[in-house]
Amino acid sequence: MKIAIIGGGPAGLYAAILLKKQRPQAEITVYERNRAGDTFGFGVVFSDATLDNFEKYDAPSYRRITQEFAYWDDIAVHFRGTVHRVGGNGFCGCSRRMLLLILQERARELGVALMFEAEIDDEARFADADLVVLADGINSRFRDRYAEHFQPEVDVRSNMFAWMGSTRPLDAFTFIFQETEWGPFIAHAYQYEVGRSTWIFETDPETFERAGLAGLSEKQSAERMAGIFGWFLEGHQLLTNRSMWRNFPMIRSKRWVKDNMVLLGDAKATAHFSIGSGTKLAMEDAIALADAMHRAPTVNAALQQYEEGRREEVEKTQHAADVSLVWFEHVDRFWEFDPVQFAFGVMTRAKAITYDNLMLRAPDFVAEVDKSFARQVRARGLDVDVEQPDAPMFQPLRLREMQLANRVVVSPMCMYSAQEGVPGDFHLVHYGSRAIGGAGLIFTEMTCVGRDARITPGCAGLWNDEQQAAWRHIVDFVHANSAAKICLQLGHAGRKGATKLMWDGIDRPLEQGGWDVLSASPIPYFPDSQVPRQMDRAAMDAVKAEFVAAAERGERCGFDMLELHCAHGYLLASFISPLTNQRSDAYGGSLANRLRFPLEVFEALRSAWPSHKPMSVRISATDWAEGGIAGDDAVAIARAFAEAGVDLVDVSTGQTVRDAQPVYGRMFQTPFSEQVRNEARVATMCVGNITTSDQVNTILAAGRADLVALGRPHLADASFTMKAAAWYGAEIFCPPPYLPGKEQIFRNSVRDRQDFDDLKIKAKPKTRAELKAEATKPLAAE
Ligand SMILES: Cc1cc2nc3c(=O)[nH]c(=O)nc-3n(C[C@H](O)[C@H](O)[C@H](O)COP(=O)(O)OP(=O)(O)OC[C@H]3O[C@@H](n4cnc5c(N)ncnc54)[C@H](O)[C@@H]3O)c2cc1C
Ligand SMILES: Cc1cc2nc3c(=O)[nH]c(=O)nc-3n(C[C@H](O)[C@H](O)[C@H](O)COP(=O)(O)O)c2cc1C
């Protein structure tokens, strides 16, 4: 077999090693345009888990790599004169040059032919090769040559970065966030060998411009950085090696394989440097290719297997890198945060590290995070313990005169079980048990303001006395038997009205017994849905009056809070999204125009609703569709409602149009809440695939939301909050008849939690840094 590998970076060399081990008879050649010792940049970093993989696949190169490595366990965050350190991270660094020399030596040893100063321009010369590996890096010539086939997408990110080095020793992966007269600069730094550290500097394009970096030479810009970070460098030099400022390109390719050619490493996909995974991905690609070549009967089958088997893992890493890079791009959102909360945000930005996870490895840090959170609550006039505070999810929140005992919310969820809009026994048990279950705030399902405002025949309403009495019964029960507050969500279905019950076909038009539907524009939801009537001014007045009348009834029921539903493509949302609003009058066109009617309804409700009671608005922060609402619009929408007196923005997404393409995942809507909260400076509630109390605490402690709503998890578990209170040892109200149950779960949880923590600690292997520290520790005197 003949294998040609274009590119002698980590991907190409490691692929050569693994394939040669597998097929000693194969003729394998690596073509590298540089000389053997040439390399740009300074260090690379691997996690312990990545090194374990290397050990399994090629022990000799693993041993040499690890002999050369610098190990560290801590991440240190420097911000506004403070430093927060968190241990237990298990990372290693080594020089990129050393890594390449080790891989070259090992490849040679195995009999791989290494051709340096061999720039390949035309793969036709490999016509007789069975396999051609395209490992030619981020600017891959071959990926671009066959762009029509590989379909690469290049997303050039806004921040500027430069990769430098220093002689400054470091004992932790170090992030420094530095305010300057031009704006914020960030340094990502780590040591990779004795006396050498990598320094990646990053800043936003405006700060870059103001600092005049565009006009400086490599040397001058290193001097400028040394000036900014001089206090930390302590007289150590900054070193350069082609350290030009650039933008990071996030690259994704739709296809990785063409005939017998395969893309590997940065050539196929990149991951932002802030999660330090580029070299790891490149070498793990090589592992995946070698595995596929071992298993599959033919080269073509192997390449298909490689692409199919590897894609998900690469995309997962890229997603984590995306989340991380966006955090760094928007660091200004957090610049006013308390430093410990800021550090917690840095640590938890990419979802892998969480509140509970940090509690195990850095309990003192988490204790500080809790105290900082409690101090903020106290600064808002609430009497909480700041010395031994409860976890963030059990901190109270006040909105106007309504005080919530904790930050967990039962999200509004239609039960499709009302008769002519009247909530019945099912609703009493549903809301009542969730209130007893401990959530701080219960939302009603979307409660419709008129018969024709319903989504389905099973939707609850509040337009007549019978409905009002039924809701009053539920509200009274909640108030009498729990500490929960209850919020009425009012809505109008708009063009999604007159549809079937969820379990009969969600959003599908009723075949019989439907009613006429309204919308901002006459566009049906499905092609076969009813064409809605475009609302004229008279219809707007009528609907507004229905909302006001329902709010007045809500007050008579005793609800504590009112939410206006402006999300998910229903009537008011249909005005806000340009995909559903194609009007040419004062209610269409610009965002300000599209917001006019929803704001008018909100203002009418705000006047009708008692001024001591809070109001929220639910929005779809993105339509997940081309040409629709996106995150920046959500900030503008939130600002407009905040000016009109909203106390909380309930940040949901989507459900506007049928062909939306949501990107689901754990806590997938939380970034929108974070953006709205920290740009529009308004309290937010986040929701969407949040399933654990650990996630709730992580979101709150990092300042990504003020309240956390759980929908589906509450359908399966009414006592979610009670159980979490037992787990974290937080005080929580329980009605007297249930006290024995509460006492038992609180007692058992202490032991369960200890067992769980012990198990996790036992299951976690020692980090290499810990092992090294143990190996070098002097023996205790007997
Ligand atoms: C600022 C910065 C910091 C980074 N920090 C880290 C980090 O800390 N840890 C980490 O793991 N990763 C890091 N990376 C990413 C890492 O450098 C790359 O992801 C990794 O090197 C990818 O390996 P590769 O083999 O795919 O590509 P490369 O390492 O780029 O190798 C490609 C090789 O192909 C050669 N080549 C290109 N075209 C041709 C041709 N036509 N003919 C012959 N040869 C050719 C090039 O000369 C090069 O040697 C960082 C990247 C940047 C930009
Ligand atoms: C059965 C069901 C009914 C829902 N009804 C409503 C509703 O009436 N009003 C609303 O704003 N959102 C409604 N939603 C959306 C939820 O409030 C929540 O935003 C969504 O389920 C995502 O959260 P989760 O992942 O915690 O379930 C509903 C969701 C479900 C599953």
Side-chain angles (χ1 to χ4, degrees), residues 547-565:
F547 268 102
V548 170
E552 286 167 351
R553 285 186 182 278
E555 164 58 7
R556 275 176 244 138
C557 294
F559 281 105
D560 303 292
M561 178 175 168
L562 182 64
E563 174 162 284
L564 180 61
H565 197 334

Side-chain angles (χ1 to χ4, degrees), residues 255-296:
R255 294 205 187 102
W256 299 352
V257 175
K258 181 179 185 322
D259 309 324
N260 65 342
M261 295 191 292
V262 59
L263 291 170
L264 233 60
D266 274 8
K268 74 172 197 321
T270 58
H272 191 247
F273 54 81
S274 62
I275 64 161
S277 291
T279 307
K280 158 200 154 80
L281 277 183
M283 292 174 66
E284 288 178 349
D285 282 354
I287 290 175
L289 177 65
D291 272 351
M293 287 287 286
H294 179 64
R295 274 195 313 263

Side-chain angles (χ1 to χ4, degrees), residues 411-414 446 489 502 565 568 618 687-689 711-713:
S411 202
M413 277 179 294
C414 217
M446 177 169 125
Q489 186 190 58
M502 177 183 72
H565 197 334
H568 302 168
R618 181 166 256 207
V687 66
N689 217 3
R712 289 163 297 169

Side-chain angles (χ1 to χ4, degrees), residues 346-616:
V346 178
M347 295 297 307
T348 58
R349 69 190 185 280
K351 296 200 242 183
I353 298 177
T354 65
Y355 180 88
D356 279 4
N357 169 280
L358 285 171
M359 185 94 93
L360 270 183
R361 8 190 205 135
D364 294 347
F365 175 64
V366 177
E368 255 196 89
V369 170
D370 285 351
K371 283 184 187 171
S372 157
F373 198 91
R375 278 197 303 273
Q376 291 174 43
V377 174
R378 180 171 267 217
R380 287 170 185 268
L382 294 167
D383 183 23
V384 293
D385 185 348
V386 290
E387 287 312 314
Q388 300 266 304
D390 280 330
M393 71 188 279
F394 294 103
Q395 291 291 333
L397 177 78
R398 186 149 67 203
L399 296 170
R400 301 212 179 199
E401 288 179 22
M402 180 187 80
Q403 186 165 326
L404 302 178
N406 62 60
R407 309 276 180 131
V408 185
V409 178
V410 175
S411 202
M413 277 179 294
C414 217
M415 293 292 107
Y416 308 99
S417 304
Q419 300 293 329
E420 278 300 313
V422 183
D425 290 350
F426 185 88
H427 295 84
L428 178 68
V429 174
H430 169 67
Y431 292 112
S433 52
R434 272 137 200 91
I436 290 174
L441 179 62
I442 311 284
F443 271 70
T444 69
E445 60 206 274
M446 177 169 125
T447 304
C448 306
V449 296
R451 194 172 188 281
D452 290 355
R454 291 175 304 166
I455 311 169
T456 74
C459 286
L462 190 46
W463 68 83
N464 65 31
D465 291 345
E466 195 187 350
Q467 293 156 353
Q468 183 179 314
W471 278 119
R472 166 102 236 174
H473 186 48
I474 292 169
V475 172
D476 285 348
F477 179 92
V478 168
H479 287 159
N481 297 288
S482 79
K485 304 292 181 198
I486 179 161
C487 175
L488 169 65
Q489 186 190 58
L490 285 181
H492 188 303
R495 70 174 187 153
K496 290 168 99 175
T499 52
K500 295 181 179 175
L501 304 184
M502 177 183 72
W503 45 86
D504 289 337
I506 198 158
D507 298 328
R508 297 296 304 150
L510 283 173
E511 277 141 27
Q512 287 164 4
W515 50 89
D516 291 345
V517 300
L518 297 170
S519 193
S521 296
I523 311 166
Y525 188 64
F526 284 110
D528 63 343
S529 298
Q530 198 186 129
V531 179
R533 180 162 63 86
Q534 168 160 326
M535 286 179 86
D536 56 16
R537 191 56 242 185
M540 289 184 207
D541 288 338
V543 165
K544 187 166 74 176
E546 283 183 331
F547 268 102
V548 170
E552 286 167 351
R553 285 186 182 278
E555 164 58 7
R556 275 176 244 138
C557 294
F559 281 105
D560 303 292
M561 178 175 168
L562 182 64
E563 174 162 284
L564 180 61
H565 197 334
C566 292
H568 302 168
Y570 296 116
L571 185 71
L572 297 175
S574 77
F575 276 83
I576 301 176
S577 171
L579 300 175
T580 47
N581 180 341
Q582 295 177 354
R583 301 172 73 107
S584 52
D585 60 4
Y587 303 93
S590 66
L591 178 60
N593 279 1
R594 288 183 271 124
L595 272 170
R596 195 180 304 275
F597 181 56
L599 280 173
E600 205 186 296
V601 174
F602 179 84
E603 280 158 5
L605 291 189
R606 191 57 276 182
S607 307
W609 188 243
S611 61
H612 67 279
K613 291 188 179 182
M615 275 189 70
S616 61

Side-chain angles (χ1 to χ4, degrees), residues 7 9-11 32-34 45 96 120 135-136 161 163 190 265-266 278-279:
E32 167 58 48
R33 67 179 168 200
N34 292 332
V45 38
R96 181 178 150 96
I120 305 299
D136 52 341
F161 76 94
W163 196 352
Y190 58 89
D266 274 8
T279 307

